[in-house]
Amino acid sequence: GYDPTQPVLNNINLSVAAGQSVALLGSTGSGKTTLVNLLPRFYEYTDGSIKLDGVELSDYSRVYLRSQIGIVEQEPFLFSKSIKENIRLGVDRPVTDDEIISAAKAAAIHDTIMTFPDGYETMVGEKGVTLSGGQKQRGAIARALVNRPSLILADEPTANLDRKTAEEIYDIL
């Protein structure tokens, strides 16, 4: 928080086991996004403890910690690059085409990509303007998966999607 006398989050106690999925529900402004943003250390916590695999988050370097976390946001940002480049974005190791295709299949976007005249080389335009909301979300999921993260954080990834597409995204996640 900005004022140490008025913390943003109070009395949060949450344990998540490996392989478990957790959804945070609450009203607007209740701190869901703030809580999610603490995990990759976008914000530093000033009180309490947050541990990943039994290790305090502050004991991990931000670079290492963020390399272990895949993030799928409500409004995924795509760059004016090819679909392949957007999926590969942010991975700090060489990524094969097979890995990209595998991640795209897992994110249920591969078949759609193959309908485009240039397939994975299709340019998506700034902010992904040539793709639908569901296609952008699936691309963001593929991006998260190609890095082989230990943890995936999804912050309202279906907020702007129709019900059918939202259900498909939840099934993927």
Side-chain angles (χ1 to χ4, degrees), residues 66-119:
R66 292 175 186 171
S67 75
Q68 300 302 305
I69 299 173
I71 299 175
V72 181
E73 299 182 89
Q74 180 176 343
E75 293 287 335
F77 191 90
L78 299 177
F79 292 86
S80 186
K81 296 180 179 282
S82 70
I83 293 170
K84 181 193 300 186
E85 290 171 301
N86 271 286
I87 292 173
R88 181 184 304 151
L89 193 69
V91 181
D92 62 354
R93 62 175 175 76
V95 178
T96 67
D97 287 352
D98 286 344
E99 288 178 284
I100 290 169
I101 291 168
S102 178
K105 285 181 178 179
I109 187 71
H110 172 77
D111 291 343
T112 300
I113 292 170
M114 296 312 294
T115 67
F116 299 146
D118 294 324

Side-chain angles (χ1 to χ4, degrees), residues 12 45 47-51 56-57:
I12 304 293
Y45 51 99
D47 194 18
S49 177
I50 302 176
K51 294 180 180 180
E56 194 68 35
L57 283 188

Side-chain angles (χ1 to χ4, degrees), residues 4-92:
T5 64
Q6 299 206 358
V8 175
L9 300 172
N10 293 296
N11 302 317
I12 304 293
N13 188 349
L14 176 67
S15 295
V16 181
Q20 185 179 7
S21 296
V22 174
L24 300 175
L25 304 173
S27 60
T28 301
S30 65
K32 300 179 301 290
T33 298
T34 298
L35 186 60
V36 167
N37 284 332
L38 289 171
L39 296 173
R41 292 180 57 201
F42 293 150
Y43 306 128
E44 293 294 340
Y45 51 99
T46 55
D47 194 18
S49 177
I50 302 176
K51 294 180 180 180
L52 180 61
D53 294 332
V55 177
E56 194 68 35
L57 283 188
S58 59
D59 290 343
Y60 290 108
S61 74
R62 279 190 184 93
V63 171
Y64 173 77
L65 185 62
R66 292 175 186 171
S67 75
Q68 300 302 305
I69 299 173
I71 299 175
V72 181
E73 299 182 89
Q74 180 176 343
E75 293 287 335
F77 191 90
L78 299 177
F79 292 86
S80 186
K81 296 180 179 282
S82 70
I83 293 170
K84 181 193 300 186
E85 290 171 301
N86 271 286
I87 292 173
R88 181 184 304 151
L89 193 69
V91 181
D92 62 354

Side-chain angles (χ1 to χ4, degrees), residues 72 104-112 132-139 141-142 145 154 157-159 161-173:
V72 181
K105 285 181 178 179
I109 187 71
H110 172 77
D111 291 343
T112 300
S132 72
Q135 291 168 341
K136 286 191 261 189
Q137 286 302 92
R138 288 182 178 99
I141 292 168
L145 294 175
T158 61
L161 303 177
D162 62 84
R163 184 173 160 248
K164 181 179 182 291
T165 303
E167 287 173 0
E168 291 170 357
I169 297 294
Y170 281 126
D171 286 344
I172 294 165
L173 290 173

